[in-house]
Amino acid sequence: MEKSPEIVNRDVEWATLADFLRHPDQHLRLGVLSGRRRVGKSFLLRALARASGGLYVTAVAEEAAPAARLRFATAIARYAGVSPDLIGTGATWEALLEAAMNQVIRQCGPGGLLVIDELPYWMAHSPELPGLLQLLYDRSQAGDGPAGGRIILCGSAISVMNDLLSGTKALRGRASVDVRLAPFDLATTARLWGIADPPTALRLHAVLGGSPGYRDLAALPPPQSLPGFDTWVTGTVLDPRQALYSRSETEYLLREDPRFTGSTLHYAILGAVAAGATSPAKIGAVLERDRTALTRPIEALTSAGYLRYLTDPLWDRRPVITIADPIVRFHNLVTLAHYDLVETGRAAQAWQAARATFSSRILGPHFEHCARDWLRHHLAEAGEDQTGQIAATVVNDRNGRARHEVDVIGLRRQTGRAVITWLGEAKATLAPRGPADLDRLVQVKELLRQHGHDVSGSRLAVFSTEGFARDLAAAAGRRDDVLLVDLATMFGAAPADRIR
């Protein structure tokens, strides 16, 4: 089944879902697709349903159960080309699910597809739905139900979708695919928006991330230069009149998950983390609350996908808590910090005042994150199977006099030590990087050797937003273990020809 040309990227996800439909199993098969709002789930599944001749239905927020069942019945009738009365406007969920599966099998055979998008909206008033889907699945497996058929369940409430297949839940062990749709990377986002200038595209990605749904919300055309980016920011995410206003979008995202109450405490936790509080104790100190009182709200924000725990695979340290969503981070660090200016129409002044914060607290960490993602992807493309985990870490010298933050480390764990495969520096600065960056990585490599780790095969990487000084390029050229990566390379405009 050929992927629709309107779908950007998503080759792996499309192939996975197409194989799911084509599987020779003559019994009912279940699949799950999840991801944050605006990431393109519905767009992908509508295209899949069109390509396969399947039935796509979507739940509606805050719609009562009778209206939802009527909407489902109408969709089935339209798909079958009959009057909704023939389906039964008062039909139960069980009867509607059976009718839908019978129709897709009748029209498309055993691979007939039913997509239920935004399932958590239906589950809010009809929590029995997963159990009914389990019943339908089990009956098919026993030869007493639909002879085939494929169902894909989709939702933006990440905690609900994660819980759907967990523990003792009804659908545990019954879904054959569980696809998590991630935002686009730097290069794909630049192509989608039509931005040819890498520094501009990096900044847009740092504000919005790679969720493709934001493109159609922007009232202004995509920026093509750094001055244009300034104009674009003040006219979109810092304009209260626009759909892309960061406060409106953040509140919209946080309301998506029914397990997140949107209380003042939850917003305060997000603000504390955005400001640099990376552990429950530090969050508690900022909010003047006992850390034990924050356990449940932090867990709720994490399960809903708004906070993430970043682990350091090199040392046995507690994970670092960070903001998971770029626009939530931007809202907390830029919009809220200059809220009076933004709300009174002085977005240009607010943006001018926020430049230093944006560079240090948003652009810099985002570039480091993108550097790690880029290295993972391109090492995989180059067939590097022995790289291991790629993360960030901190290395202390033996005397404890210095603390070295390492933006990129690749490692494999062995008994009692780690095999270090990569050490990298990633800096979003205004000047080209120089030999000092390479010298620092050599020093960190030696410190790791002193700590007992295997650095014999370690390679070094320097990532830069502003290129490299001639003496650094010359030094790297004399070695076979150094990789220099600029923005053009990260955006696919130049080859990464020194990965080896």
Side-chain angles (χ1 to χ4, degrees), residues 185-187 189-191 193-209 221-233 351 358 363 366-367 370 465-466 487-488 491:
D185 62 11
L186 285 174
T189 300
R191 290 197 301 272
W193 284 76
I195 302 175
D197 180 55
T200 303
L202 171 65
R203 283 159 176 78
L204 182 140
H205 198 271
V207 173
L208 297 179
Q224 301 298 331
S225 65
L226 294 184
F229 175 74
D230 294 338
T231 302
W232 183 88
V233 165
W351 180 236
F358 178 77
L363 186 62
H366 193 77
F367 181 64
C370 290
T465 57
E466 294 295 331
L487 275 183
F491 278 90

Side-chain angles (χ1 to χ4, degrees), residues 25-30 101 133 136-138 140-141 146-151 174:
D25 190 353
Q26 297 296 304
H27 301 98
L28 175 63
R29 291 172 63 81
L30 292 173
M101 294 314 302
L133 288 164
L136 196 66
Y137 175 90
D138 290 347
S140 177
Q141 297 297 311
R150 309 290 183 256
I151 299 177
R174 289 171 173 81

Side-chain angles (χ1 to χ4, degrees), residues 2-182:
E2 187 175 353
K3 188 185 78 170
S4 170
E6 64 186 355
I7 298 176
V8 177
N9 202 292
R10 305 303 190 201
D11 293 341
V12 173
E13 294 87 349
W14 182 272
T16 299
L17 296 174
D19 288 345
F20 168 74
L21 298 187
R22 287 193 297 257
H23 195 281
D25 190 353
Q26 297 296 304
H27 301 98
L28 175 63
R29 291 172 63 81
L30 292 173
V32 173
L33 186 141
S34 59
R36 77 174 305 275
R37 177 66 68 179
R38 317 255 193 233
V39 81
K41 304 182 302 299
S42 300
F43 191 76
L44 178 67
L45 291 177
R46 284 193 185 100
L48 185 72
R50 285 196 302 269
S52 65
L55 170 59
Y56 172 93
V57 296
T58 185
V60 176
E62 299 178 359
E63 184 176 53
R69 290 195 297 269
L70 178 59
R71 185 183 299 277
F72 192 11
T74 303
I76 297 169
R78 186 181 298 115
Y79 178 78
V82 301
S83 168
D85 294 336
L86 297 179
I87 302 296
T89 55
T92 63
W93 283 117
E94 182 177 355
L96 289 170
L97 289 169
E98 289 185 353
M101 294 314 302
N102 288 334
Q103 287 300 324
V104 297
I105 293 169
R106 182 175 295 116
Q107 295 199 27
C108 304
L113 171 65
L114 167 65
V115 174
I116 303 178
D117 200 356
E118 295 301 349
L119 175 67
Y121 288 154
W122 279 356
M123 289 175 59
H125 54 64
S126 302
E128 71 273 19
L129 275 167
L132 293 175
L133 288 164
Q134 174 200 0
L135 178 63
L136 196 66
Y137 175 90
D138 290 347
R139 285 175 50 203
S140 177
Q141 297 297 311
D144 188 31
R150 309 290 183 256
I151 299 177
I152 295 178
L153 308 173
C154 179
S156 301
I158 295 176
S159 70
V160 177
M161 298 305 294
N162 287 345
D163 196 44
L164 203 60
L165 307 178
S166 66
T168 59
K169 299 299 182 181
L171 297 180
R172 169 73 175 175
R174 289 171 173 81
S176 55
V177 295
D178 183 6
V179 178
R180 312 295 173 91
L181 208 60

